[in-house]
Amino acid sequence: MQITCMPSGMLGVNTYLAVDDDTNKGFIVDPGGYNPMLTKKIQDDGIDIEYIIITHGHADHICGVNAHHRDFPEARIVADSAEEAMLTDENFNMSAQFGTPDTVRADIFVNDGDTLQVGNTTLEFLHTPGHSPGGMCIYSAKDNVVFCGDTLFRQSVGRTDFPGCSFSDLMTSIREKLFTLPDSTNVFPGHMDPTTIEFEKRNNPFVHM
């Protein structure tokens, strides 16, 4: 899998373009704002975008979904089933508070353990509530990568002071869903730098509180 990080939106969220090596089929993770360079790269490289995947519904992760969907109308929008209420409420997703009121309608709602195929890559969805009710991570065992949104950061974790958050749920999600992945798994978070499961097991102070 080829992974390119192209930050977007008001808070510079890590928006990822991921492409299956064998088929040039790909997906976008968390377009937090419209990034014309992302669209240009996809078009220049002839990538077939099959999905736009939302790790969770907060404004900084969704405010570019509809604009990029207009560029790639055949792509299907994917989110966790527990996040529908947030995606469709501009106050719950906090886009209204940011002055950019927006809502998103997902085409596919997934649940924990569901999978989707992108070319020869199998994506498994892990429900990881805590930062939001329907927070989820996207795992590819073949590529040894997990896109974790705002569940886990390098030596940090997602905030739990927003509506629908729970610190205890977040800790359970990290310990039972992410820390059970292979230690060598590469972690691509919604903010800050990439890390690995092994590094976070050893060095993340929040998980060891």
Side-chain angles (χ1 to χ4, degrees):
M1 181 188 293
Q2 301 172 40
I3 299 171
T4 305
C5 180
M6 303 187 77
S8 70
M10 62 195 86
L11 298 181
V13 68
N14 288 339
T15 297
Y16 295 103
L17 170 63
V19 184
D20 176 64
D21 293 311
D22 301 324
T23 63
N24 213 36
K25 295 181 181 294
F27 57 98
I28 300 168
V29 179
D30 288 349
Y34 185 71
N35 185 340
M37 297 305 297
L38 173 59
T39 289
K40 184 177 187 301
K41 178 172 176 56
I42 291 167
Q43 293 172 338
D44 287 350
D45 293 353
I47 299 164
D48 180 8
I49 295 296
E50 296 200 320
Y51 302 105
I52 299 172
I53 306 177
I54 303 166
T55 63
H56 66 289
H58 288 145
D60 58 322
H61 288 252
I62 68 166
C63 283
V65 171
N66 292 323
H68 279 294
H69 192 238
R70 285 191 288 270
D71 287 341
F72 307 105
E74 299 303 314
R76 304 184 75 187
I77 299 170
V78 182
D80 189 276
S81 60
E83 206 73 337
E84 183 174 11
M86 182 179 289
L87 292 173
T88 56
D89 186 329
E90 62 191 33
N91 292 303
F92 194 6
N93 66 40
M94 297 186 292
S95 60
Q97 292 91 314
F98 277 101
T100 55
D102 205 356
T103 60
V104 172
R105 298 279 179 182
D107 300 303
I108 300 173
F109 284 108
V110 296
N111 296 295
D112 186 57
D114 287 353
T115 61
L116 285 175
Q117 201 73 17
V118 181
N120 293 329
T121 297
T122 300
L123 303 179
E124 180 182 358
F125 299 100
L126 310 175
H127 183 215
T128 54
H131 179 66
S132 73
M136 72 176 187
C137 299
I138 309 154
Y139 176 56
S140 170
K142 176 174 75 76
D143 297 288
N144 202 38
V145 302
V146 62
F147 301 93
C148 65
D150 289 1
T151 298
L152 179 68
F153 300 131
R154 183 178 176 87
Q155 293 184 290
S156 189
V157 298
R159 292 176 60 165
T160 55
D161 57 342
F162 297 139
C165 293
S166 166
F167 184 76
S168 61
D169 286 352
L170 185 67
M171 291 302 102
T172 298
S173 293
I174 293 170
R175 290 169 179 147
E176 296 185 3
K177 296 292 180 65
L178 294 181
F179 281 6
T180 57
L181 298 177
D183 282 354
S184 60
T185 303
N186 294 293
V187 177
F188 291 90
H191 302 273
M192 298 189 288
D193 294 331
T195 183
T196 66
I197 293 297
E198 181 179 21
F199 183 86
E200 297 312 312
K201 281 183 177 180
R202 295 176 180 273
N203 299 288
N204 195 306
F206 292 90
V207 185
H208 298 295
M209 290 174 65

